[in-house]
Amino acid sequence: MNQTIVRKSKWFWPWQDEQEEAWLEEMSHQGLHLHKADILAQYDFVQDQPEDYIYRLDFQNSLKKKNKDAYLRLFADAGWEYLGEMGGWQYFRILSKPGETREIFTDPETKIDKYQRFLTWFVAIFPAYWVIIISLLSDNPHWLMWLVIVLSLTVSTLWAVVTIKVQQRIKQLKAL
Amino acid sequence: MADKNDPSKYLPLSETTFYTMTCLAQEPLHGYALMQRAKDISQGAVQIGAGTLYTIFSTLEKVGLIKMISESERRKTYALTPKGKKVLLLQIQRIKIMAFAGQNVIALLEE
């Protein structure tokens, strides 16, 4: 039987991962099941019968191979199907079952850790970014310099917004 | 500066961390076996998700309260360290005091 693959472009912000999960669940209700997550902002879906899948996202981008294996084994043992990784986001799904808890994070503390892992990495890349910008500025023609300045200001603003938004999400969870 | 080895600095343990360590106090376990054991001994009250348990294992291992003792088929089996035992013991003593304090006001609350 031939499988129909439907490709969709979609972007989500790191503080909106739960909305992303809900959206993937809605797609599965329509018979479009995430096939693999690997290319940034793009999903491949397989068209089939509608299913009551639950999708969950974790953030892990610094696991060594050996730890990643053990990590995936733990999720597999608990019944989670692994759908791949996209920019550090790990995609899992499981069929919903009445009366069963279907969560990968079952307390606020470890849920906060997920966003904290994202922030630690995200805060660390910023100085690296500026090192590149400054090295570009030091030996380039005038017009390019302005372009680089405008671009870097935009990126910096975006960076600040993401950091603040994710911090707000952590604060929300801490209030639980 | 607090004593580096003072077990009370790890307290209070979260409910999930408490059950994780209590399960390991019975015997060394790997993740999935621990999830089932925790559900069992908490009388169904605590179900630990895979992401939560992975995070707790990593944290406890990093601070030396548990250690990995074996690995087979990519499943890591953990055991409590002597330091972990001290911390858990102290936590249990505190919970007993909490339960006792609570017990004394139950009648007043139910009035």
Side-chain angles (χ1 to χ4, degrees):
Chain A
M1 206 180 87
N2 260 347
Q3 280 183 323
T4 317
I5 299 279
V6 179
R7 179 163 286 185
K8 279 184 192 284
S9 294
K10 184 150 189 318
W11 175 258
F12 76 98
W13 296 101
W15 61 91
Q16 295 174 327
D17 56 328
E18 288 183 357
Q19 284 98 307
E20 193 71 358
E21 294 168 354
W23 181 75
L24 290 168
E25 285 162 14
E26 180 49 36
M27 296 306 282
S28 267
H29 289 155
Q30 296 173 21
L32 289 173
H33 310 296
L34 181 59
H35 174 56
K36 205 170 179 352
D38 53 2
I39 306 166
L40 203 61
Q42 188 173 294
Y43 292 126
D44 280 347
F45 294 94
V46 174
Q47 191 142 35
D48 208 333
Q49 295 297 316
E51 291 283 4
D52 211 358
Y53 274 125
I54 290 170
Y55 290 84
R56 288 293 177 265
L57 272 62
D58 188 9
F59 187 85
Q60 296 280 1
N61 69 344
S62 58
L63 288 181
K64 292 187 191 93
K65 170 84 174 72
K66 207 169 178 288
N67 290 337
K68 179 80 182 271
D69 285 348
Y71 167 81
L72 291 181
R73 167 53 70 117
L74 182 56
F75 277 76
D77 281 349
W80 293 92
E81 184 186 345
Y82 184 54
L83 298 163
E85 169 176 359
M86 200 175 80
W89 294 96
Q90 311 291 327
Y91 286 71
F92 296 95
R93 85 169 156 218
I94 198 167
L95 274 174
S96 110
K97 195 173 159 193
E100 289 266 334
T101 311
R102 300 301 213 198
E103 289 296 342
I104 59 172
F105 293 108
T106 43
D107 67 9
E109 290 91 345
T110 51
K111 211 172 201 174
I112 288 169
D113 288 339
K114 166 169 92 166
Y115 296 105
Q116 205 60 62
R117 277 194 294 281
F118 172 83
L119 266 190
T120 307
W121 165 76
F122 197 68
V123 168
I125 57 170
F126 198 58
Y129 167 79
W130 273 104
V131 168
I132 296 168
I133 293 300
I134 289 163
S135 68
L136 275 177
L137 284 178
S138 59
D139 47 25
N140 268 299
H142 193 65
W143 63 271
L144 191 63
M145 200 178 94
W146 280 107
L147 190 70
V148 168
I149 287 173
V150 170
L151 199 71
S152 52
L153 285 178
T154 314
V155 171
S156 301
T157 312
L158 211 60
W159 182 86
V161 170
V162 170
T163 306
I164 289 165
K165 283 283 195 180
V166 174
Q167 272 167 349
Q168 279 172 351
R169 178 85 188 100
I170 290 175
K171 216 179 250 176
Q172 255 175 23
L173 286 166
K174 278 189 177 161
L176 287 180
Chain B
M1 274 289 281
D3 178 9
K4 240 182 86 181
N5 289 315
D6 181 6
S8 69
K9 75 170 181 179
Y10 298 101
L11 302 187
L13 302 172
S14 75
E15 192 176 20
T16 321
T17 306
F18 172 79
Y19 276 110
T20 302
M21 292 178 71
T22 303
C23 289
L24 295 182
Q26 295 180 342
E27 61 176 318
L29 292 167
H30 63 72
Y32 187 56
L34 193 144
M35 284 179 191
Q36 292 169 314
R37 182 73 59 89
K39 193 177 167 184
D40 233 35
I41 65 169
S42 69
Q43 301 168 17
V46 174
Q47 295 190 35
I48 310 180
T52 290
L53 188 55
Y54 188 83
T55 310
I56 287 177
F57 273 162
S58 311
T59 311
L60 290 178
E61 191 178 27
K62 203 156 67 185
V63 297
L65 299 188
I66 67 171
K67 64 169 188 292
M68 190 186 79
I69 55 162
S70 68
E71 184 170 3
S72 103
E73 292 169 46
R74 301 179 295 143
R75 288 191 188 97
K76 293 181 177 181
T77 296
Y78 290 95
L80 279 189
T81 60
K83 187 175 163 191
K85 287 178 185 171
K86 265 188 213 158
V87 170
L88 184 59
L89 209 55
L90 192 60
Q91 177 69 83
I92 293 167
Q93 283 159 0
R94 292 220 184 154
I95 290 172
K96 276 183 167 173
I97 296 168
M98 280 165 69
F100 182 72
Q103 192 68 35
N104 286 336
V105 295
I106 285 182
L108 297 172
L109 295 171
E110 284 175 348
E111 256 173 21

